[in-house]
Amino acid sequence: MVGGKSPIDAFKCQLVCKLFRDSATLDTIYQTMDKKRLRFRPFSADMYEVLRRCRKLNNPYILFNYGMLGEDDAGKQLLQYATDKGQLDAIFVLGMLLMAEGSERKQEALIMLNNAYINTRRCWNLRQTCYKVRSHLDACLVEFAKMFDISLE
């Protein structure tokens, strides 16, 4: 549980003793860690190895990140996987996408969003979720611009 909340501390535990070293490589850490809490040099092999393992283990945070970058159906499918695991940002984005598809999907989206709100005991901060999704999109845009040497000004 600690490793999922603070992956940096989990990897530091590897240095302490054999028991911690073995526990820091457990799949449960990779299934729950959030990429934002990791610190890697950009485009490092270690980062891609950790992200690859997280995606292989269906980490909802990583599925959400890849889903936001995915194209049409592939991206929506990854968002659906993250939604099935209860990732609130993915539920919000997928709900908005379904609403945009038309009136026949709007009811499905409203039920999905309402159920998520009820499951969080009516304390889901939608304003914070909107801010996080927008920040994520802004960061993706900046990374995209860096990759292709595009100026955003």
Side-chain angles (χ1 to χ4, degrees):
M1 288 176 63
V2 171
K5 298 293 181 190
S6 178
I8 294 170
D9 290 338
F11 293 125
K12 286 180 182 177
C13 285
Q14 293 180 9
L15 303 174
V16 176
C17 71
K18 184 179 183 329
L19 175 67
F20 285 138
R21 183 175 52 245
D22 294 343
S23 67
T25 60
L26 294 175
D27 287 346
T28 53
I29 292 175
Y30 291 91
Q31 290 172 335
T32 57
M33 74 172 54
D34 190 353
K35 177 184 165 190
K36 291 179 183 150
R37 297 174 199 255
L38 297 173
R39 295 184 199 130
F40 289 107
R41 288 186 304 273
F43 304 109
S44 71
D46 293 336
M47 178 181 75
Y48 286 114
E49 179 57 31
V50 168
L51 293 179
R52 186 196 61 75
R53 187 167 175 188
C54 288
R55 185 169 179 185
K56 179 181 167 196
L57 294 168
N58 291 324
N59 178 314
Y61 299 103
I62 303 305
L63 291 174
F64 169 71
N65 286 333
Y66 280 108
M68 292 291 286
L69 296 173
E71 295 180 17
D72 298 332
D73 292 335
K76 239 192 251 185
Q77 188 64 41
L78 290 171
L79 288 173
Q80 183 63 53
Y81 292 150
T83 295
D84 293 343
K85 294 215 171 237
Q87 214 277 349
L88 290 176
D89 299 340
I91 292 170
F92 176 76
V93 170
L94 188 61
M96 296 299 113
L97 288 172
L98 291 176
M99 282 189 193
E101 285 183 5
S103 59
E104 64 275 355
R105 303 292 309 260
K106 187 179 270 187
Q107 189 63 29
E108 178 186 349
L110 288 173
I111 290 170
M112 181 176 60
L113 291 167
N114 189 47
N115 288 341
Y117 182 69
I118 290 169
N119 289 340
T120 59
R121 295 188 175 93
R122 302 185 190 278
C123 61
W124 184 12
N125 187 340
L126 286 174
R127 183 174 293 184
Q128 181 181 10
T129 299
C130 288
Y131 176 77
K132 284 171 48 179
V133 168
R134 181 171 180 187
S135 297
H136 182 78
L137 289 172
D138 289 345
C140 289
L141 181 63
V142 168
E143 287 298 318
F144 181 77
K146 284 181 186 176
M147 286 189 324
F148 294 102
D149 198 26
I150 300 171
S151 175
L152 294 176
E153 296 173 19

